[in-house]
Amino acid sequence: LWQEETMADISKVIHLGPSGVSKPDKASVFMELKGKEICASPHIGVKAEPENVTLIGYPDEESADDSVVNQGWRSFDVLPGSEKVLLASGRDIDNVAAILVVNATVLLDPPNFRAMLESPDMSESIGPMFGEHGGLIIKHFLGSRWGKKNVGGGCYFFESETDIEAYLSSEFWANVSAETPWENVTYEMYAVA
């Protein structure tokens, strides 16, 4: 039963929009996020200037209100593997206090981040690979819903900003970011308001 309830908590679509928007009727997750400076220096990519945003999550594609998406919004499908990270972490999704968003252009031929995540090797190892890190509750694997379909990355829910800093400073992240076929990597950290 815990597993079924936990899986129901995972958004299938995530919109990142400006701060102060109203909660759409069918949204299952709605968080005002305060942009924070990242102190860590990841080996690859750049840290975005902090700005406040709203995170809106939907339980399925049919519920996603894409009409609210305006210029400057980002919209992502949550890809397979996210649920395995949540199960491996064993942490409560309600304890999210800080969020890390990593976006990049995925350099696959063809650019199919979903296929990479569904490959047998990744499917077996993805949960423990991410779920064992201090304070990491879940990594939502992201794939762009519109426009450039090769934009992907992750929306990570953490228990604290300190956990995000430790994660970005870890040898694990240095290795993963160096081995991932991507470019134009950006990092954003938020406190949940």
Side-chain angles (χ1 to χ4, degrees):
L1 181 63
W2 178 83
Q3 184 172 346
E4 289 175 15
E5 289 174 359
T6 300
M7 295 307 100
D9 288 338
I10 299 177
S11 297
K12 301 299 186 268
V13 174
I14 290 177
H15 293 320
L16 292 169
S19 182
V21 299
S22 298
K23 179 180 181 183
D25 291 337
K26 296 183 180 178
S28 56
V29 176
F30 186 82
M31 292 186 228
E32 289 292 335
L33 304 178
K34 181 177 180 179
K36 305 292 276 190
E37 286 282 342
I38 297 173
C39 295
S41 296
H43 299 284
I44 293 174
V46 297
K47 300 178 278 188
E49 288 295 320
E51 64 178 63
N52 299 340
V53 300
T54 301
L55 184 147
I56 304 170
Y58 296 93
D60 52 53
E61 288 188 26
E62 295 77 31
S63 298
D65 184 358
D66 295 333
S67 70
V68 301
V69 178
N70 295 311
Q71 187 173 352
W73 285 55
R74 293 175 283 166
S75 185
F76 301 96
D77 291 316
V78 177
L79 303 177
S82 304
E83 69 285 349
K84 293 179 181 181
V85 176
L86 179 60
L87 289 173
S89 81
R91 294 182 176 90
D92 188 338
I93 203 164
D94 291 332
N95 291 336
V96 61
I99 293 178
L100 171 67
V101 176
V102 180
N103 283 155
T105 303
V106 181
L107 302 174
L108 297 172
D109 190 20
N112 192 338
F113 195 39
R114 181 183 297 269
M116 182 179 85
L117 291 171
E118 291 175 340
S119 71
D121 289 344
M122 288 295 276
S123 183
E124 292 299 315
S125 65
I126 205 77
M129 180 188 304
F130 289 96
E132 66 185 24
H133 295 279
L136 177 57
I137 299 168
I138 183 172
K139 174 182 179 180
H140 299 87
F141 293 94
L142 304 178
S144 182
R145 283 179 66 78
W146 298 286
K148 295 181 178 180
K149 299 298 269 184
N150 60 343
V151 174
C155 180
Y156 303 72
F157 286 9
F158 279 90
E159 293 177 328
S160 74
E161 293 171 39
T162 303
D163 292 325
I164 291 175
E165 296 285 0
Y167 181 77
L168 290 177
S169 299
S170 70
E171 184 176 331
F172 168 80
W173 183 250
N175 291 336
V176 166
S177 61
E179 293 170 4
T180 302
W182 59 4
E183 65 183 7
N184 305 319
V185 182
T186 61
Y187 303 90
E188 302 159 69
M189 182 169 71
Y190 302 97
V192 177

